[in-house]
Structure formats: C-alpha cells, structure tokens
Amino acid sequence: MDRMKRTPINEQAPKVRATNFEEVCLGYTEEEARIEAGRCLNCKNPMCVTQCPVSISIPEFIQKVKTGDFEDAVKIISKASSLPSVCGRVCPQESQCEGKCVLGIKGEAVAIGKLERFVGDWSRNNKVDLSETTTKNNKKVAVIGSGPAGLACAGDLAKLGYEVVIFEALHEPGGVLVYGIPEFRLPKDTVVKYEIENIKKLGVKIETDVIVGRTITIDELIEEEGFEAIFIGSGAGLPKFMGIPGENLNGVFSANEILTRTNLMKAYKDGYSTPVKLGKRVAVVGGGNVAMDAARTALRLGSEVHIVYRRSEAELPARLEEVHHAKQEGIIFDLLVNPVEVLGDEKGWVTGLKCVKMELGEPDISGRRSPVVVVNSEFVLEMDTVIMSLGTSPNPLISSTTLGLEINKRKCIIVEEETGLTSKGKVYAGGDAVTGAATVILAMGAGKKAAKAIDEALTV
Amino acid sequence: MFKITGKKLIAPDTYWMDIEAKRVSKSAKPGQFVIIRMDEKGERIPLTICDYDALKGTVSIVFQAIGTSTKKMAQFEVGDSFLDFVGPLGTASEFTLESQSELKDKKVMFIAGGVGAAPVYPQVKWLNEKGIKADVIIGSRNKELLILEEEIKAVAGNVYPATDDGSYGYKGLVTDLLKRLVQEEGKKYDVVVAIGPMIMMKFVTILTKQLGIKTIVSMNPIMVDGTGMCGACRVSVGGKIKFACVDGPEFDGHLVDFNEAMRRATIYKTEEAKIEFRKSEEHDGGCACAEGRK
C-alpha cells in the first residue's frame, strides 16, 4: 500500500448518475474504511482538529475505525457533532481538516470526510443508540430555525438538560439540508431525517410551520411562552438577482426556487403535486456550490446545462469535488462570461442570455483577480431557462420584527464573536443569519458556541 | 395537523372553511395570507385569510375548487385535517399601521371581484371595529357567484353589488360602477382597495389613476415557500423587484406592472392546463370586466 495515496471510493458512473437522483458517492466498505484509517499518522499535535469548526477528535475516531471499533468511533464523534453522516458528505474538508493533514504535504490527505461519513452511516445501519439522558434543569430555550446552526445549538443544550423547542418556518425540519442541498449529495429520508431524529431523541422538540416574526415574535416567546434564552439560526435564505433587464421574464428562476421545488417539494418524484419546469437549454449564472447543485439538478431533470461564470476556473468558489463531478456529468462551463441582459420572445419567455466576455485584472479585496469586461465582446447564448445563483442574504423577517436586534448593512445579525450574543438581551444568533451564506459546519460551530454561552449565562 | 372545524358551500364550487390553528388565529391581520399543504405529496397552496377568531383558535379561508389541488381540498370534510397550515404570511394592510386619528376621516372604497371578496371582508371588518364604515363594491359574473354579501353588509357602509349579466345589483363592470359613483353621484374616496382577478385590478388602477385616487391591490402570484426564499413571486413595482410574499401581497396599484404579473402567472401552465385555466377563469365569477375575457 502506498501511504501517500488515498483509498479509492466507489461512485455511480457519471453517465448513469446524470439521469437519476441517487447518491453520487457510494461510500467506503468496512474494509476500505479500515485501510484508509490505517493511513492516519495519529499525530501528537493533530492539525486537523484545529481546523474543525466543531473540534471533533479526528485522530481518536480514526484509530477506532482502524481497529474496527466503529461504535466507539461514532461515540467519539457524537461528543462534538450529531450530524456525522451529513458533515461527512457536505463539509469542505479540503480547506478544513484535510487541508492541514500532514500527509497532504507530500501526498494525499487522509480522507477524513469519507471516514466520518462511513462512521455515521455505519452507526445508522447498526442502530447505535446515541441518546444520553441527563436530568432536566427545567429551563426553556427556544431555537429559531432547524438548519445546521439550530440543530447543533439545540442538541448541545438538550445534552446539558435544557428543555429546547426548535421553531421551523417550513413544513420539514433541516433547513438548507432539506430545501437546498440535493438528494444526490445528501439523501433526505435516510441520512438527514435519521440524524434529526437522533437530535429529537436527546429531548429536543421541533415545531414546524411556525414563522418567527410572523406567527409569533421573539418578544412573545420570551414574555408569553417563558423561554429564558433564544438562539436565532434562521440562515440566509433570500435569493439575490443581478438587476439586469429581462430578469422577470418567464423562465428566469432563482437557484433557491429550483432547489426548493426539487428537494423540499420533491417535484422530480412521481405523485408529488409541485411542478418544476426547465427548458432544453439551461444557463446557471454563478460559480458557487449552490450553482453546481442547481446545474446538476437541472441536468438530472433532462436539460443541457451551462454554468455561466464571470471569472476563470481557478476562482470558482465551489468545492473542487463539486466542479469535478459536474464536469464528469456533462455540465458545460462558460467561463469569463458575464450576462448583461436576459432576452425574451414576444410572449415574454426567455430565448437567450446576452453576455460579454471578461478577462482577469488586478486582485480585488477578496484576493481573487477581478473580472474586467472585454470591449466589444457582446454575444448571445441561446437559452430557454436561466437560473440565477448569485448568493443569498439573511431574511429580514426576524430582524424587522424584533425591537433592539441590530443588523449590519448586509442584513446580517450583529453578535459578540465569542458568545453569539446579539444586541438584545437573552437573544443569541449564529450561522448564516450572522455571517451571510457560508457552510454547514461553520453554522454548526456557531450553534455550539452559542449553546455554551447560553448555558453559562443561565447557570448562576 | 390542522383540523377543519367548519365547512360550507357559499357559491358553486366555492367553499368556506374554518381551520384550527391557534398560533395563526392570534397573529393574523387583515391583508395577510396562509399556506396550506394537504398531505405529504401536496403542494404548498397560498390562500388569503377571510376571517380569524383568536378565542376559538380558528382561521377561515375561502377557495374555489378549480385546479387539481383545490378540487382535492374541497373533498376534505369537517373533522379531517390538513398536514400543514402556516401563516400569517405577508405584511398586514397598510391601514392597520395607521393611527386612529389618521384613519377616522378616511373614505375607503373596497372593490371585491369574485373570491376577492374573501380577503376584502376582514379588512372592512377591521375598519368597522375602529369605527370606520367603508364602502364596498362586490362584483361577480352573476348573482349565484356573488359571495359574502351579508357578512360584508354587516360591517360596511354602502355595499354595491354588481354582476356582469345584471342578474343582481348593478349590471356591468365594477369599473363602470366606480366611475358612476364618483363622477355622477359625487362620491369621494381617499383610497380604493381592489382585490380580485389580476385583469380586474389592472383596469381598476387605470381608472383610479384617471380619477386621481390612491389604489391598493393584492397580488396572488405563484409562490413556493411564502417566506422570501424562492423568489417565484417577484412582482415589478415602480420598476423595482418586490417579493409578493414578504414585501406584499398588497402594493400601490399604480406602480404594479400588471402585464408582467399576468404573464408570470402562466409559467407553470402547460397547454392542457391552460385550457383548464381559461375555463376556470370564465367560471370564477371574479371579474366583471369585459376586457378580461378577450
């Protein structure tokens, strides 16, 4: 065995998976997991752990995988995270734990994410009981939003004995895990539902169909329902549009709409009433993970799909793995191209995307080379659907209905870095609602941090 | 689960339902709407709130059984439950934020087209509770399809029924009736609130612009989540993109791009469904507007 090389993992063949919504990656077998775990150097001073937003004892669980003690492995992970099967699939490990793996200097980093996923899946398949019983302390905490931030915060507080109620606006708990990330990356019924059930087993109650800011306000939760602290993990759900002419033509959608119809409402499945309608040729504008998700969803719904991105491949904000998978499946990348107008026919349906060519200039604040328009480079991409995937911002519903809750120019809730405490007493926040669109694991980290701060504040 | 506690047929294919939804009943205000999902495989259906009773913990809706989902909804009976019932969504009507002194001398005319009478009712009722009697035009295709007349009469000032075929009340378009009231009978209104089929609202706003009366309309576009997430419900208002679900559903009618809104309403209509849609439009009794049927 070459210690510098990763144990290969099975995936559905690109041509096959491009026509279905089944998971792309098939995961390690027990034997493969043990071989891969064997590559870990079990560093005395593990750099991987320092890069994990929830500080999982990575080498410790990997050693248990190596010796085949999978139940011990999951118990080690669950001290820090209740969502191993989720995070093993969607974390950007290459820029976190795996990014600092010593093996990565000369060869390939240990496949920490794939091992975490293996452990989570094994635990599910073998029905490992991870519910801990603690004596209740009779203190009530409300969590707004059942996405990664809210689930992490709620889980930790429940473990400490708090009575936790999560209020979820949609009909299904999970937030971005259910409405945003597609089935082929993160299976809903098996993986997401199961890990949420595990959090419920810790005693967390989830009330769906409650829109805080509309159905009830933060102040009412504190004053009328007796919650002693509130954690806001309402995410960043508001889609952005470009503000170019033709954006309201029939056939222009936000990535959120296509993903919500497909993932949450299951429009791709027979028997579900919600429609999803895409044309033969689809342009997805944007280069992030959500753009890749929307593009690969459109492909599976039968369209020819182009990613239209204004910078070059090196600047694509999406994870490398996602870009790689998208290319394998046949997504066409139109790079250094920026739309200036959506074109339509006399009935108001999209016919094309008028674009300009771009070239890269000096680096901007983000450190990425900024795109500059090439003079006289206008051209038209013939398209009948355009999906805008330009990022999202926090929903102002809560901030606009909660007196004393301060937000910044980007509509993000302002918090104390260390505790997640907002400008309003008893109210904490974390995740995308604070940072703007980021990752599942950063949101979980923020949820855990706030849980700790809430516990300290309520323990007098 | 949200239990149905009352159901009645108030016009052909038009149902009133009371649904047990404690939290929503406490927070609902005029102008807002709810989303219902009947069962696991159902879509999220936005419906305007027609009434609410915080004491009983119920919210009432009125809907027409015209599409696949609403026809299915019509089969639910008292004692059955909807899987999901979420709200109140959208912002409350502008006047609910105004002070009593701002409101007290205001002359308001509501124009309700077809099932548009349902969202008009709680607004008129709310104003009545503040001591303000608003006038209401209730328009429909014919007498049979005219709804909520008694309920509205009990809380309004003058109520003017209008039907296309003249089978009841004024014979003709709601716009012609409004014009007559203002120009011939010398009625003065500070604000018109028009709720009904898009084409009716469009022509009301064209008229009120000529008459110089501020006009509020309530948009009912395609939407999925209803919380600002999908952007399907975007409407151009004064050249800016607004989301009907969070910025609306009520907007300044003189700023709404109705042609775009009507076009966007057809996005999910296949050729087959379009035929069904046209039939239902003719049948909805909503619009007393000859232009709309061209």
Side-chain angles (χ1 to χ4, degrees), chain A residues 270-302:
Chain A
D270 284 343
Y272 285 79
S273 311
T274 304
V276 63
K277 189 164 144 186
L278 297 171
K280 287 197 179 74
R281 285 167 59 89
V282 174
V284 177
V285 181
N289 287 321
V290 176
M292 299 304 139
D293 284 346
R296 297 170 70 196
T297 297
L299 184 92
R300 282 159 173 77
L301 293 168

Side-chain angles (χ1 to χ4, degrees), chain A residues 207 209 215 225 248 254 395, chain B residues 23 84 87 227 230 234 260:
Chain A
E207 198 178 329
D209 294 329
T215 315
E225 306 212 3
N248 276 5
S254 72
N395 197 321
Chain B
R23 287 191 188 279
D84 298 286
T227 64
C230 78
R234 55 197 194 276
E260 179 190 281

Side-chain angles (χ1 to χ4, degrees), chain A residues 213-214 397 400-401, chain B residues 29-33 88-94 96-97 123 218 226 243-251:
Chain A
R214 288 273 188 257
L397 258 186
S400 65
T401 53
Chain B
K29 289 197 182 66
Q32 293 184 300
F33 63 99
L89 295 152
T91 50
S93 303
E94 199 179 87
T96 62
L97 304 170
Q123 304 202 15
S218 180
F243 288 1
C245 68
V246 287
D247 302 318
E250 298 190 347
F251 294 107

Side-chain angles (χ1 to χ4, degrees), chain A residues 350-364:
Chain A
V350 171
T351 57
L353 200 55
K354 192 195 274 180
C355 301
V356 286
K357 294 200 168 127
M358 310 294 279
E359 56 190 10
L360 292 179
E362 294 300 307
D364 61 12

Side-chain angles (χ1 to χ4, degrees), chain B residues 261-272:
Chain B
M262 282 187 274
R263 165 172 54 71
R264 289 186 58 78
T266 66
I267 290 176
Y268 287 97
K269 300 203 187 305
T270 57
E271 284 309 312
E272 193 188 353

Side-chain angles (χ1 to χ4, degrees), chain A residues 167 169-172 179 207-211 214-216 224-225 237-239 241 247-254 256-257 260-261 264-265 270-277 347-349 395 397, chain B residues 2 23-24 26-27 32 37 40-44 69 83-91 222-225 227-232 234-236 241 243 245-246 260 263-264 266-270:
Chain A
F167 295 97
L170 293 173
H171 55 257
E172 192 78 40
Y179 77 74
E207 198 178 329
T208 53
D209 294 329
V210 177
I211 302 171
R214 288 273 188 257
T215 315
I216 191 156
E224 293 171 24
E225 306 212 3
L238 235 58
F241 287 89
E247 246 179 335
N248 276 5
L249 287 167
N250 289 9
V252 183
F253 304 98
S254 72
N256 258 9
E257 178 176 353
T260 304
R261 285 180 183 277
L264 176 71
M265 304 310 296
D270 284 343
Y272 285 79
S273 311
T274 304
V276 63
K277 189 164 144 186
K347 285 182 177 157
W349 287 83
N395 197 321
L397 258 186
Chain B
F2 299 84
R23 287 191 188 279
V24 188
K26 272 173 69 184
S27 46
Q32 293 184 300
R37 196 173 70 123
E40 194 50 45
K41 294 185 174 179
E43 52 185 337
R44 292 171 67 94
S69 288
L83 187 55
D84 298 286
F85 187 93
V86 61
L89 295 152
T91 50
I222 293 170
M223 57 178 75
V224 186
D225 60 288
T227 64
M229 234 173 66
C230 78
R234 55 197 194 276
V235 181
S236 290
I241 293 182
F243 288 1
C245 68
V246 287
E260 179 190 281
R263 165 172 54 71
R264 289 186 58 78
T266 66
I267 290 176
Y268 287 97
K269 300 203 187 305
T270 57

